[in-house]
PDB file of all heavy atoms in Angstrom:
ATOM      1  N   LEU A  82       1.160  11.130  -4.773  1.00 98.00           N
ATOM      2  CA  LEU A  82       0.437  12.286  -5.297  1.00 98.00           C
ATOM      3  C   LEU A  82      -1.018  11.882  -5.496  1.00 98.00           C
ATOM      4  O   LEU A  82      -1.296  10.917  -6.206  1.00 98.00           O
ATOM      5  CB  LEU A  82       1.049  12.742  -6.613  1.00 98.00           C
ATOM      6  CG  LEU A  82       0.323  13.886  -7.323  1.00 98.00           C
ATOM      7  CD1 LEU A  82       0.318  15.149  -6.471  1.00 98.00           C
ATOM      8  CD2 LEU A  82       0.943  14.145  -8.685  1.00 98.00           C
ATOM      9  N   MET A  83      -1.898  12.630  -4.880  1.00 98.00           N
ATOM     10  CA  MET A  83      -3.321  12.314  -4.931  1.00 98.00           C
ATOM     11  C   MET A  83      -4.057  13.472  -5.579  1.00 98.00           C
ATOM     12  O   MET A  83      -4.012  14.604  -5.082  1.00 98.00           O
ATOM     13  CB  MET A  83      -3.861  12.064  -3.521  1.00 98.00           C
ATOM     14  CG  MET A  83      -3.105  10.976  -2.773  1.00 98.00           C
ATOM     15  SD  MET A  83      -3.791  10.627  -1.154  1.00 98.00           S
ATOM     16  CE  MET A  83      -3.469  12.169  -0.299  1.00 98.00           C
ATOM     17  N   ASN A  84      -4.713  13.172  -6.690  1.00 97.00           N
ATOM     18  CA  ASN A  84      -5.481  14.184  -7.423  1.00 97.00           C
ATOM     19  C   ASN A  84      -6.968  13.873  -7.364  1.00 97.00           C
ATOM     20  O   ASN A  84      -7.369  12.749  -7.044  1.00 97.00           O
ATOM     21  CB  ASN A  84      -5.027  14.227  -8.877  1.00 97.00           C
ATOM     22  CG  ASN A  84      -3.600  14.701  -9.023  1.00 97.00           C
ATOM     23  OD1 ASN A  84      -3.157  15.617  -8.332  1.00 97.00           O
ATOM     24  ND2 ASN A  84      -2.865  14.088  -9.937  1.00 97.00           N
ATOM     25  N   SER A  85      -7.761  14.866  -7.703  1.00 96.00           N
ATOM     26  CA  SER A  85      -9.220  14.704  -7.759  1.00 96.00           C
ATOM     27  C   SER A  85      -9.747  14.051  -6.490  1.00 96.00           C
ATOM     28  O   SER A  85     -10.523  13.087  -6.553  1.00 96.00           O
ATOM     29  CB  SER A  85      -9.601  13.870  -8.989  1.00 96.00           C
ATOM     30  OG  SER A  85      -9.117  14.468 -10.162  1.00 96.00           O
ATOM     31  N   LEU A  86      -9.346  14.576  -5.389  1.00 97.00           N
ATOM     32  CA  LEU A  86      -9.706  13.967  -4.110  1.00 97.00           C
ATOM     33  C   LEU A  86     -11.190  14.080  -3.822  1.00 97.00           C
ATOM     34  O   LEU A  86     -11.847  15.072  -4.184  1.00 97.00           O
ATOM     35  CB  LEU A  86      -8.898  14.600  -2.984  1.00 97.00           C
ATOM     36  CG  LEU A  86      -7.441  14.132  -2.931  1.00 97.00           C
ATOM     37  CD1 LEU A  86      -6.598  15.048  -2.063  1.00 97.00           C
ATOM     38  CD2 LEU A  86      -7.360  12.697  -2.425  1.00 97.00           C
ATOM     39  N   LYS A  87     -11.694  13.055  -3.170  1.00 96.00           N
ATOM     40  CA  LYS A  87     -13.111  12.960  -2.826  1.00 96.00           C
ATOM     41  C   LYS A  87     -13.240  12.802  -1.310  1.00 96.00           C
ATOM     42  O   LYS A  87     -12.295  12.339  -0.654  1.00 96.00           O
ATOM     43  CB  LYS A  87     -13.718  11.736  -3.516  1.00 96.00           C
ATOM     44  CG  LYS A  87     -13.449  11.630  -4.988  1.00 96.00           C
ATOM     45  CD  LYS A  87     -13.913  10.294  -5.533  1.00 96.00           C
ATOM     46  CE  LYS A  87     -13.561  10.130  -6.993  1.00 96.00           C
ATOM     47  NZ  LYS A  87     -13.982   8.799  -7.523  1.00 96.00           N
ATOM     48  N   PRO A  88     -14.382  13.107  -0.776  1.00 96.00           N
ATOM     49  CA  PRO A  88     -14.571  12.922   0.666  1.00 96.00           C
ATOM     50  C   PRO A  88     -14.291  11.484   1.120  1.00 96.00           C
ATOM     51  O   PRO A  88     -13.798  11.279   2.235  1.00 96.00           O
ATOM     52  CB  PRO A  88     -16.035  13.303   0.877  1.00 96.00           C
ATOM     53  CG  PRO A  88     -16.305  14.299  -0.190  1.00 96.00           C
ATOM     54  CD  PRO A  88     -15.517  13.818  -1.378  1.00 96.00           C
ATOM     55  N   GLU A  89     -14.574  10.523   0.270  1.00 95.00           N
ATOM     56  CA  GLU A  89     -14.315   9.132   0.642  1.00 95.00           C
ATOM     57  C   GLU A  89     -12.835   8.776   0.677  1.00 95.00           C
ATOM     58  O   GLU A  89     -12.468   7.675   1.096  1.00 95.00           O
ATOM     59  CB  GLU A  89     -15.059   8.172  -0.297  1.00 95.00           C
ATOM     60  CG  GLU A  89     -14.864   8.452  -1.763  1.00 95.00           C
ATOM     61  CD  GLU A  89     -15.984   9.299  -2.352  1.00 95.00           C
ATOM     62  OE1 GLU A  89     -16.401  10.293  -1.703  1.00 95.00           O
ATOM     63  OE2 GLU A  89     -16.431   8.958  -3.465  1.00 95.00           O
ATOM     64  N   ASP A  90     -11.974   9.690   0.261  1.00 96.00           N
ATOM     65  CA  ASP A  90     -10.529   9.489   0.407  1.00 96.00           C
ATOM     66  C   ASP A  90     -10.036   9.888   1.793  1.00 96.00           C
ATOM     67  O   ASP A  90      -8.865   9.692   2.114  1.00 96.00           O
ATOM     68  CB  ASP A  90      -9.770  10.306  -0.644  1.00 96.00           C
ATOM     69  CG  ASP A  90     -10.022   9.818  -2.053  1.00 96.00           C
ATOM     70  OD1 ASP A  90     -10.041   8.586  -2.269  1.00 96.00           O
ATOM     71  OD2 ASP A  90     -10.204  10.669  -2.942  1.00 96.00           O
ATOM     72  N   THR A  91     -10.923  10.443   2.585  1.00 97.00           N
ATOM     73  CA  THR A  91     -10.561  10.825   3.946  1.00 97.00           C
ATOM     74  C   THR A  91     -10.150   9.600   4.746  1.00 97.00           C
ATOM     75  O   THR A  91     -10.897   8.628   4.843  1.00 97.00           O
ATOM     76  CB  THR A  91     -11.746  11.526   4.635  1.00 97.00           C
ATOM     77  OG1 THR A  91     -12.009  12.765   3.964  1.00 97.00           O
ATOM     78  CG2 THR A  91     -11.429  11.803   6.096  1.00 97.00           C
ATOM     79  N   ALA A  92      -8.947   9.649   5.291  1.00 98.00           N
ATOM     80  CA  ALA A  92      -8.399   8.507   6.018  1.00 98.00           C
ATOM     81  C   ALA A  92      -7.044   8.888   6.593  1.00 98.00           C
ATOM     82  O   ALA A  92      -6.480   9.936   6.251  1.00 98.00           O
ATOM     83  CB  ALA A  92      -8.244   7.300   5.094  1.00 98.00           C
ATOM     84  N   VAL A  93      -6.543   8.015   7.426  1.00 98.00           N
ATOM     85  CA  VAL A  93      -5.134   8.101   7.819  1.00 98.00           C
ATOM     86  C   VAL A  93      -4.349   7.272   6.821  1.00 98.00           C
ATOM     87  O   VAL A  93      -4.682   6.110   6.574  1.00 98.00           O
ATOM     88  CB  VAL A  93      -4.906   7.577   9.251  1.00 98.00           C
ATOM     89  CG1 VAL A  93      -3.416   7.626   9.588  1.00 98.00           C
ATOM     90  CG2 VAL A  93      -5.711   8.396  10.253  1.00 98.00           C
ATOM     91  N   TYR A  94      -3.330   7.870   6.246  1.00 98.00           N
ATOM     92  CA  TYR A  94      -2.527   7.203   5.231  1.00 98.00           C
ATOM     93  C   TYR A  94      -1.208   6.754   5.854  1.00 98.00           C
ATOM     94  O   TYR A  94      -0.516   7.540   6.512  1.00 98.00           O
ATOM     95  CB  TYR A  94      -2.275   8.141   4.062  1.00 98.00           C
ATOM     96  CG  TYR A  94      -3.480   8.291   3.167  1.00 98.00           C
ATOM     97  CD1 TYR A  94      -4.603   9.003   3.594  1.00 98.00           C
ATOM     98  CD2 TYR A  94      -3.519   7.696   1.912  1.00 98.00           C
ATOM     99  CE1 TYR A  94      -5.724   9.121   2.797  1.00 98.00           C
ATOM    100  CE2 TYR A  94      -4.638   7.817   1.102  1.00 98.00           C
ATOM    101  CZ  TYR A  94      -5.732   8.524   1.547  1.00 98.00           C
ATOM    102  OH  TYR A  94      -6.843   8.632   0.747  1.00 98.00           O
ATOM    103  N   TYR A  95      -0.883   5.509   5.600  1.00 98.00           N
ATOM    104  CA  TYR A  95       0.319   4.900   6.159  1.00 98.00           C
ATOM    105  C   TYR A  95       1.253   4.457   5.047  1.00 98.00           C
ATOM    106  O   TYR A  95       0.812   3.910   4.036  1.00 98.00           O
ATOM    107  CB  TYR A  95      -0.039   3.674   6.997  1.00 98.00           C
ATOM    108  CG  TYR A  95      -0.918   3.946   8.186  1.00 98.00           C
ATOM    109  CD1 TYR A  95      -2.298   3.890   8.087  1.00 98.00           C
ATOM    110  CD2 TYR A  95      -0.356   4.250   9.426  1.00 98.00           C
ATOM    111  CE1 TYR A  95      -3.108   4.135   9.180  1.00 98.00           C
ATOM    112  CE2 TYR A  95      -1.159   4.493  10.534  1.00 98.00           C
ATOM    113  CZ  TYR A  95      -2.529   4.433  10.404  1.00 98.00           C
ATOM    114  OH  TYR A  95      -3.322   4.672  11.499  1.00 98.00           O
ATOM    115  N   CYS A  96       2.541   4.644   5.272  1.00 98.00           N
ATOM    116  CA  CYS A  96       3.520   4.058   4.364  1.00 98.00           C
ATOM    117  C   CYS A  96       4.106   2.812   5.020  1.00 98.00           C
ATOM    118  O   CYS A  96       4.104   2.691   6.252  1.00 98.00           O
ATOM    119  CB  CYS A  96       4.621   5.048   4.010  1.00 98.00           C
ATOM    120  SG  CYS A  96       5.564   5.690   5.400  1.00 98.00           S
ATOM    121  N   ALA A  97       4.577   1.925   4.191  1.00 97.00           N
ATOM    122  CA  ALA A  97       5.124   0.666   4.668  1.00 97.00           C
ATOM    123  C   ALA A  97       6.276   0.254   3.768  1.00 97.00           C
ATOM    124  O   ALA A  97       6.362   0.680   2.615  1.00 97.00           O
ATOM    125  CB  ALA A  97       4.040  -0.409   4.685  1.00 97.00           C
ATOM    126  N   ALA A  98       7.137  -0.607   4.299  1.00 97.00           N
ATOM    127  CA  ALA A  98       8.317  -1.029   3.546  1.00 97.00           C
ATOM    128  C   ALA A  98       8.626  -2.493   3.820  1.00 97.00           C
ATOM    129  O   ALA A  98       8.328  -3.020   4.903  1.00 97.00           O
ATOM    130  CB  ALA A  98       9.524  -0.175   3.943  1.00 97.00           C
ATOM    131  N   ASP A  99       9.219  -3.123   2.819  1.00 94.00           N
ATOM    132  CA  ASP A  99       9.648  -4.505   2.989  1.00 94.00           C
ATOM    133  C   ASP A  99      10.860  -4.765   2.106  1.00 94.00           C
ATOM    134  O   ASP A  99      10.907  -4.289   0.974  1.00 94.00           O
ATOM    135  CB  ASP A  99       8.517  -5.465   2.620  1.00 94.00           C
ATOM    136  CG  ASP A  99       8.828  -6.879   3.063  1.00 94.00           C
ATOM    137  OD1 ASP A  99       8.522  -7.201   4.229  1.00 94.00           O
ATOM    138  OD2 ASP A  99       9.396  -7.637   2.260  1.00 94.00           O
ATOM    139  N   PRO A 100      11.821  -5.547   2.605  1.00 92.00           N
ATOM    140  CA  PRO A 100      13.071  -5.736   1.862  1.00 92.00           C
ATOM    141  C   PRO A 100      13.042  -6.811   0.769  1.00 92.00           C
ATOM    142  O   PRO A 100      14.034  -7.009   0.075  1.00 92.00           O
ATOM    143  CB  PRO A 100      14.062  -6.136   2.964  1.00 92.00           C
ATOM    144  CG  PRO A 100      13.216  -6.822   3.983  1.00 92.00           C
ATOM    145  CD  PRO A 100      11.904  -6.093   3.959  1.00 92.00           C
ATOM    146  N   ARG A 101      11.929  -7.491   0.586  1.00 88.00           N
ATOM    147  CA  ARG A 101      11.898  -8.532  -0.436  1.00 88.00           C
ATOM    148  C   ARG A 101      11.766  -7.939  -1.839  1.00 88.00           C
ATOM    149  O   ARG A 101      11.413  -6.779  -2.015  1.00 88.00           O
ATOM    150  CB  ARG A 101      10.738  -9.491  -0.172  1.00 88.00           C
ATOM    151  CG  ARG A 101      10.941 -10.368   1.043  1.00 88.00           C
ATOM    152  CD  ARG A 101       9.696 -11.192   1.303  1.00 88.00           C
ATOM    153  NE  ARG A 101       8.577 -10.352   1.694  1.00 88.00           N
ATOM    154  CZ  ARG A 101       7.322 -10.739   1.684  1.00 88.00           C
ATOM    155  NH1 ARG A 101       7.011 -11.951   1.267  1.00 88.00           N
ATOM    156  NH2 ARG A 101       6.356  -9.911   2.073  1.00 88.00           N
ATOM    157  N   SER A 102      12.024  -8.782  -2.803  1.00 87.00           N
ATOM    158  CA  SER A 102      11.839  -8.397  -4.190  1.00 87.00           C
ATOM    159  C   SER A 102      10.360  -8.137  -4.469  1.00 87.00           C
ATOM    160  O   SER A 102       9.479  -8.755  -3.856  1.00 87.00           O
ATOM    161  CB  SER A 102      12.331  -9.514  -5.114  1.00 87.00           C
ATOM    162  OG  SER A 102      11.863  -9.323  -6.429  1.00 87.00           O
ATOM    163  N   PHE A 103      10.091  -7.240  -5.400  1.00 89.00           N
ATOM    164  CA  PHE A 103       8.701  -6.899  -5.720  1.00 89.00           C
ATOM    165  C   PHE A 103       7.902  -8.118  -6.165  1.00 89.00           C
ATOM    166  O   PHE A 103       6.690  -8.203  -5.938  1.00 89.00           O
ATOM    167  CB  PHE A 103       8.677  -5.833  -6.809  1.00 89.00           C
ATOM    168  CG  PHE A 103       7.328  -5.209  -7.010  1.00 89.00           C
ATOM    169  CD1 PHE A 103       6.872  -4.229  -6.144  1.00 89.00           C
ATOM    170  CD2 PHE A 103       6.504  -5.611  -8.056  1.00 89.00           C
ATOM    171  CE1 PHE A 103       5.625  -3.652  -6.310  1.00 89.00           C
ATOM    172  CE2 PHE A 103       5.255  -5.040  -8.231  1.00 89.00           C
ATOM    173  CZ  PHE A 103       4.814  -4.053  -7.357  1.00 89.00           C
ATOM    174  N   PHE A 104       8.562  -9.058  -6.767  1.00 88.00           N
ATOM    175  CA  PHE A 104       7.847 -10.212  -7.312  1.00 88.00           C
ATOM    176  C   PHE A 104       7.692 -11.332  -6.298  1.00 88.00           C
ATOM    177  O   PHE A 104       7.160 -12.391  -6.620  1.00 88.00           O
ATOM    178  CB  PHE A 104       8.559 -10.692  -8.574  1.00 88.00           C
ATOM    179  CG  PHE A 104       8.620  -9.625  -9.622  1.00 88.00           C
ATOM    180  CD1 PHE A 104       9.773  -8.902  -9.829  1.00 88.00           C
ATOM    181  CD2 PHE A 104       7.498  -9.310 -10.373  1.00 88.00           C
ATOM    182  CE1 PHE A 104       9.828  -7.895 -10.773  1.00 88.00           C
ATOM    183  CE2 PHE A 104       7.538  -8.311 -11.323  1.00 88.00           C
ATOM    184  CZ  PHE A 104       8.710  -7.611 -11.517  1.00 88.00           C
ATOM    185  N   GLU A 105       8.120 -11.080  -5.084  1.00 87.00           N
ATOM    186  CA  GLU A 105       8.014 -12.089  -4.024  1.00 87.00           C
ATOM    187  C   GLU A 105       6.793 -11.909  -3.150  1.00 87.00           C
ATOM    188  O   GLU A 105       6.414 -12.826  -2.429  1.00 87.00           O
ATOM    189  CB  GLU A 105       9.257 -12.049  -3.140  1.00 87.00           C
ATOM    190  CG  GLU A 105      10.531 -12.488  -3.809  1.00 87.00           C
ATOM    191  CD  GLU A 105      11.686 -12.514  -2.816  1.00 87.00           C
ATOM    192  OE1 GLU A 105      11.620 -13.288  -1.837  1.00 87.00           O
ATOM    193  OE2 GLU A 105      12.631 -11.735  -3.017  1.00 87.00           O
ATOM    194  N   GLY A 106       6.217 -10.737  -3.141  1.00 82.00           N
ATOM    195  CA  GLY A 106       5.180 -10.465  -2.152  1.00 82.00           C
ATOM    196  C   GLY A 106       3.827 -10.126  -2.740  1.00 82.00           C
ATOM    197  O   GLY A 106       3.702  -9.741  -3.894  1.00 82.00           O
ATOM    198  N   ARG A 107       2.827 -10.321  -1.908  1.00 92.00           N
ATOM    199  CA  ARG A 107       1.480  -9.886  -2.244  1.00 92.00           C
ATOM    200  C   ARG A 107       1.299  -8.525  -1.578  1.00 92.00           C
ATOM    201  O   ARG A 107       0.847  -8.437  -0.437  1.00 92.00           O
ATOM    202  CB  ARG A 107       0.459 -10.879  -1.723  1.00 92.00           C
ATOM    203  CG  ARG A 107       0.654 -12.288  -2.244  1.00 92.00           C
ATOM    204  CD  ARG A 107      -0.393 -13.231  -1.668  1.00 92.00           C
ATOM    205  NE  ARG A 107      -0.068 -14.624  -1.896  1.00 92.00           N
ATOM    206  CZ  ARG A 107      -0.779 -15.641  -1.439  1.00 92.00           C
ATOM    207  NH1 ARG A 107      -1.867 -15.423  -0.735  1.00 92.00           N
ATOM    208  NH2 ARG A 107      -0.399 -16.868  -1.682  1.00 92.00           N
ATOM    209  N   TRP A 108       1.629  -7.505  -2.268  1.00 93.00           N
ATOM    210  CA  TRP A 108       1.777  -6.195  -1.668  1.00 93.00           C
ATOM    211  C   TRP A 108       0.468  -5.525  -1.304  1.00 93.00           C
ATOM    212  O   TRP A 108       0.468  -4.481  -0.658  1.00 93.00           O
ATOM    213  CB  TRP A 108       2.613  -5.300  -2.577  1.00 93.00           C
ATOM    214  CG  TRP A 108       3.925  -5.933  -2.870  1.00 93.00           C
ATOM    215  CD1 TRP A 108       4.380  -6.386  -4.061  1.00 93.00           C
ATOM    216  CD2 TRP A 108       4.956  -6.249  -1.913  1.00 93.00           C
ATOM    217  NE1 TRP A 108       5.631  -6.957  -3.916  1.00 93.00           N
ATOM    218  CE2 TRP A 108       6.005  -6.878  -2.618  1.00 93.00           C
ATOM    219  CE3 TRP A 108       5.086  -6.046  -0.532  1.00 93.00           C
ATOM    220  CZ2 TRP A 108       7.162  -7.321  -1.997  1.00 93.00           C
ATOM    221  CZ3 TRP A 108       6.245  -6.478   0.089  1.00 93.00           C
ATOM    222  CH2 TRP A 108       7.268  -7.105  -0.625  1.00 93.00           C
ATOM    223  N   TYR A 109      -0.637  -6.115  -1.695  1.00 91.00           N
ATOM    224  CA  TYR A 109      -1.928  -5.589  -1.286  1.00 91.00           C
ATOM    225  C   TYR A 109      -2.282  -6.018   0.140  1.00 91.00           C
ATOM    226  O   TYR A 109      -3.261  -5.562   0.717  1.00 91.00           O
ATOM    227  CB  TYR A 109      -3.025  -6.057  -2.244  1.00 91.00           C
ATOM    228  CG  TYR A 109      -3.097  -7.555  -2.387  1.00 91.00           C
ATOM    229  CD1 TYR A 109      -3.870  -8.319  -1.518  1.00 91.00           C
ATOM    230  CD2 TYR A 109      -2.370  -8.209  -3.377  1.00 91.00           C
ATOM    231  CE1 TYR A 109      -3.928  -9.686  -1.638  1.00 91.00           C
ATOM    232  CE2 TYR A 109      -2.415  -9.588  -3.498  1.00 91.00           C
ATOM    233  CZ  TYR A 109      -3.196 -10.324  -2.622  1.00 91.00           C
ATOM    234  OH  TYR A 109      -3.253 -11.676  -2.738  1.00 91.00           O
ATOM    235  N   ARG A 110      -1.458  -6.896   0.695  1.00 92.00           N
ATOM    236  CA  ARG A 110      -1.684  -7.378   2.045  1.00 92.00           C
ATOM    237  C   ARG A 110      -0.781  -6.636   3.029  1.00 92.00           C
ATOM    238  O   ARG A 110       0.429  -6.558   2.843  1.00 92.00           O
ATOM    239  CB  ARG A 110      -1.395  -8.870   2.143  1.00 92.00           C
ATOM    240  CG  ARG A 110      -2.233  -9.733   1.242  1.00 92.00           C
ATOM    241  CD  ARG A 110      -1.847 -11.189   1.404  1.00 92.00           C
ATOM    242  NE  ARG A 110      -2.151 -11.672   2.743  1.00 92.00           N
ATOM    243  CZ  ARG A 110      -1.599 -12.743   3.278  1.00 92.00           C
ATOM    244  NH1 ARG A 110      -0.716 -13.448   2.584  1.00 92.00           N
ATOM    245  NH2 ARG A 110      -1.925 -13.132   4.488  1.00 92.00           N
ATOM    246  N   GLY A 111      -1.355  -6.119   4.074  1.00 88.00           N
ATOM    247  CA  GLY A 111      -0.570  -5.425   5.081  1.00 88.00           C
ATOM    248  C   GLY A 111       0.486  -6.313   5.723  1.00 88.00           C
ATOM    249  O   GLY A 111       1.564  -5.843   6.070  1.00 88.00           O
ATOM    250  N   LEU A 112       0.179  -7.583   5.832  1.00 91.00           N
ATOM    251  CA  LEU A 112       1.119  -8.517   6.467  1.00 91.00           C
ATOM    252  C   LEU A 112       2.392  -8.707   5.654  1.00 91.00           C
ATOM    253  O   LEU A 112       3.366  -9.267   6.151  1.00 91.00           O
ATOM    254  CB  LEU A 112       0.433  -9.869   6.682  1.00 91.00           C
ATOM    255  CG  LEU A 112      -0.673  -9.889   7.732  1.00 91.00           C
ATOM    256  CD1 LEU A 112      -1.369 -11.252   7.740  1.00 91.00           C
ATOM    257  CD2 LEU A 112      -0.129  -9.556   9.111  1.00 91.00           C
ATOM    258  N   ALA A 113       2.388  -8.263   4.394  1.00 90.00           N
ATOM    259  CA  ALA A 113       3.565  -8.420   3.544  1.00 90.00           C
ATOM    260  C   ALA A 113       4.691  -7.471   3.930  1.00 90.00           C
ATOM    261  O   ALA A 113       5.825  -7.661   3.507  1.00 90.00           O
ATOM    262  CB  ALA A 113       3.187  -8.191   2.088  1.00 90.00           C
ATOM    263  N   TYR A 114       4.398  -6.465   4.728  1.00 94.00           N
ATOM    264  CA  TYR A 114       5.362  -5.419   5.012  1.00 94.00           C
ATOM    265  C   TYR A 114       5.976  -5.576   6.403  1.00 94.00           C
ATOM    266  O   TYR A 114       5.280  -5.817   7.382  1.00 94.00           O
ATOM    267  CB  TYR A 114       4.708  -4.051   4.892  1.00 94.00           C
ATOM    268  CG  TYR A 114       4.203  -3.771   3.496  1.00 94.00           C
ATOM    269  CD1 TYR A 114       2.959  -4.231   3.083  1.00 94.00           C
ATOM    270  CD2 TYR A 114       4.974  -3.059   2.583  1.00 94.00           C
ATOM    271  CE1 TYR A 114       2.501  -4.000   1.795  1.00 94.00           C
ATOM    272  CE2 TYR A 114       4.523  -2.804   1.302  1.00 94.00           C
ATOM    273  CZ  TYR A 114       3.287  -3.280   0.915  1.00 94.00           C
ATOM    274  OH  TYR A 114       2.830  -3.048  -0.358  1.00 94.00           O
ATOM    275  N   ALA A 115       7.277  -5.371   6.456  1.00 92.00           N
ATOM    276  CA  ALA A 115       7.986  -5.510   7.721  1.00 92.00           C
ATOM    277  C   ALA A 115       8.001  -4.218   8.537  1.00 92.00           C
ATOM    278  O   ALA A 115       8.131  -4.261   9.758  1.00 92.00           O
ATOM    279  CB  ALA A 115       9.418  -5.951   7.459  1.00 92.00           C
TER     280      ALA A 115
END
């Protein structure tokens, strides 16, 4: 859910998933996702 949207929010938005535990990964890195 995205509120108070700004022109700088314009982008293609991607979802990603990975089967590891939340505490195992650096989720800010794209490479963390399978």
